[in-house]
């Protein structure tokens, strides 16, 4: 049985997952071709590069919004790039304010993205519709919707609203769609039949999200991580993001130390944050059990 093992010693996020799967043999050109089936390719550009994290060569995957390339002069929301593929130094991997609820749409979020003022936010329902209407495979559609539903349900529960009222910030929506649908595409391409994961560290400290300063893990991340074995970590920062947590909940068949398997491929996906003595990468192994 073709097995994917997720060695989450530095947590897991959407960009780390895609980077690691490409590093382990996923075809980047196939990925970009399949993602075009969503018909939102005018909203983003993809960037892939090799980086070295504390001596480990890893693949860094970035989603860049195309309208941010021609940002209006004098725009004072440049700090808003706190999303998973941000080039901001203070970004750790992804922040929970990808998502918020309908009635808070007009509140004054300090970290709101400047496009929020003149582009509609995507709702959970509209994202599901976008995926369902595409010509992606049944496996990719089903897997991506399952992951989005976990995030939507967690946000809805935290905010006390229905899942239909969970809105995704424009920047967060595009990032999340690419990371989640892209991961499903690569899992199918690599013909993964079983996913096993190590216990996952979540990090320590506090993060800034739309509603204030919150302890790590953020409320939605913690909600998704119910039932998943966590690993103690003293690293400051958000190691596991809502998207990463939803991958673990939706995809993983069992949690354990490295199982008995013959390893054929190893991949490293880089996170955005750098630590002085810890490589911020997700390591994946593909082999047969």
């Amino acid at each position: 049985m073709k097995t994917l093992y997720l060695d989450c010693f530095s947590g897991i996020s959407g960009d780390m997952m895609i980077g690691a799967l490409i590093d382990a043999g996923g075809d980047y050109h196939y990925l970009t071709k399949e993602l075009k089936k969503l018909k939102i390719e005018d909203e983003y550009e993809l960037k892939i590069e090799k980086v070295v994290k504390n001596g480990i060569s890893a693949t860094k995957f970035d989603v860049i919004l195309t309208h941010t390339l021609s940002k209006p002069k004098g725009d004072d929301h440049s700090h808003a790039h706190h999303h998973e593929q941000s080039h901001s130094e203070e970004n750790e991997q992804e922040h929970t304010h990808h998502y918020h609820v309908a009635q808070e749409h007009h509140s004054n979020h300090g970290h709101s993205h400047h496009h929020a003022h003149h582009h509609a936010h995507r709702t959970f329902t509209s994202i599901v519709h976008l995926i369902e209407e595409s010509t992606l495979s049944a496996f990719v559609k089903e897997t991506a919707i399952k992951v989005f539903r976990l995030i939507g349900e967690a946000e809805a529960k935290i905010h006390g609203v229905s899942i239909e009222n969970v809105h995704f910030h424009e920047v967060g929506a595009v990032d999340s769609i690419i990371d989640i649908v892209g991961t499903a595409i690569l899992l199918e391409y690599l013909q993964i039949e079983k996913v096993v994961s190590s216990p996952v560290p979540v990090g320590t400290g506090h993060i800034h999200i739309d509603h204030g300063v919150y302890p790590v893990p953020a409320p939605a991340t913690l909600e998704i991580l119910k039932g998943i074995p966590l690993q103690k970590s003293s690293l400051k920062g958000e190691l596991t993001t809502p998207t990463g947590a939803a991958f673990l909940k939706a995809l993983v068949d069992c949690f354990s130390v490295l199982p008995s398997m013959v390893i054929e491929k190893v991949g490293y996906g880089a996170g955005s944050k750098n630590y002085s003595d810890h490589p911020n990468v997700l390591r994946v192994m593909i082999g047969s059990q």
Side-chain angles (χ1 to χ4, degrees):
M1 183 176 283
K2 197 162 187 189
T3 301
L4 169 70
Y5 183 72
L6 304 175
D7 188 3
C8 309
F9 65 86
S10 192
I12 183 171
S13 63
D15 56 335
M16 292 167 87
M17 183 74 161
I18 288 211
L21 291 174
I22 291 169
D23 209 56
D27 188 316
Y28 177 66
H29 297 293
Y30 176 79
L31 171 67
T32 56
K33 180 170 69 78
E34 287 294 297
L35 284 170
K36 285 181 179 168
K37 292 179 178 178
L38 290 166
K39 299 192 179 347
I40 59 167
E41 65 267 25
D42 59 333
E43 297 185 37
Y44 66 87
E45 286 179 4
L46 301 182
K47 182 184 171 193
I48 186 170
E49 61 181 331
K50 279 284 190 180
V51 298
V52 176
K53 293 276 188 180
N54 301 69
I56 292 180
S57 173
T59 295
K60 182 80 181 75
F61 178 79
D62 282 308
V63 179
I64 302 158
L65 291 202
T66 46
H67 3 278
T68 66
L69 303 177
S70 55
K71 191 160 56 176
K73 218 173 169 154
D75 183 276
D76 62 352
H77 291 281
S78 56
H79 65 285
H81 281 274
H82 284 274
H83 57 98
E84 200 155 343
Q85 284 75 34
S86 168
H87 297 290
S88 159
E89 274 306 301
E90 52 191 289
N91 174 58
E92 303 191 348
Q93 270 143 27
E94 169 193 56
H95 287 268
T96 47
H97 61 258
H98 276 198
Y99 327 109
H100 69 157
V101 291
Q103 53 264 60
E104 292 164 351
H105 182 49
H106 298 293
S107 65
N108 181 24
H109 294 325
H111 292 286
S112 64
H113 191 270
H114 69 277
H115 291 109
H117 305 302
H118 38 88
H119 287 279
H121 289 196
R122 281 193 167 99
T123 62
F124 169 77
T125 310
S126 70
I127 289 171
V128 169
H129 182 74
L130 179 78
I131 295 167
E132 283 179 339
E133 291 299 300
S134 75
T135 56
L136 289 159
S137 75
F139 170 83
V140 170
K141 289 181 183 181
E142 187 183 319
T143 304
I145 290 168
K146 187 177 179 184
V147 174
F148 265 113
R149 186 172 297 281
L150 286 167
I151 297 168
E153 285 171 351
E155 290 290 337
K157 182 170 182 190
I158 294 300
H159 296 299
V161 298
S162 71
I163 194 167
E164 290 74 26
N165 285 338
V166 174
H167 284 225
F168 288 64
H169 285 285
E170 185 203 19
V171 59
V174 175
D175 270 0
S176 301
I177 290 164
I178 298 302
D179 288 345
I180 292 169
V181 175
T183 291
I185 289 166
L186 290 172
L187 289 173
E188 184 173 58
Y189 175 83
L190 292 163
Q191 299 179 311
I192 301 301
E193 298 170 275
K194 183 180 179 183
V195 183
V196 182
S197 174
S198 67
V200 65
V202 294
T204 61
H206 296 81
I207 54 167
H208 292 264
I209 56 177
D210 279 345
H211 312 285
V213 180
Y214 280 77
V216 172
T221 309
L222 188 59
E223 183 65 31
I224 298 166
L225 288 171
K226 281 180 179 173
I228 288 172
L230 306 184
Q231 180 71 48
K232 184 180 175 183
S233 169
S234 57
L235 286 176
K236 285 252 191 281
E238 182 186 34
L239 298 181
T240 295
T241 64
T243 301
F247 282 153
L248 295 177
K249 192 70 157 277
L251 305 175
V252 174
D253 297 292
C254 65
F255 291 86
S256 77
V257 294
L258 185 64
S260 301
M261 62 188 284
V262 177
I263 294 167
E264 290 143 18
K265 302 258 189 177
V266 178
Y268 294 89
S272 302
K273 181 97 172 165
N274 293 314
Y275 294 99
S276 58
D277 56 356
H278 178 89
N280 187 27
V281 298
L282 170 67
R283 179 165 68 175
V284 302
M285 303 163 211
I286 299 172
S288 51
Q289 273 189 292

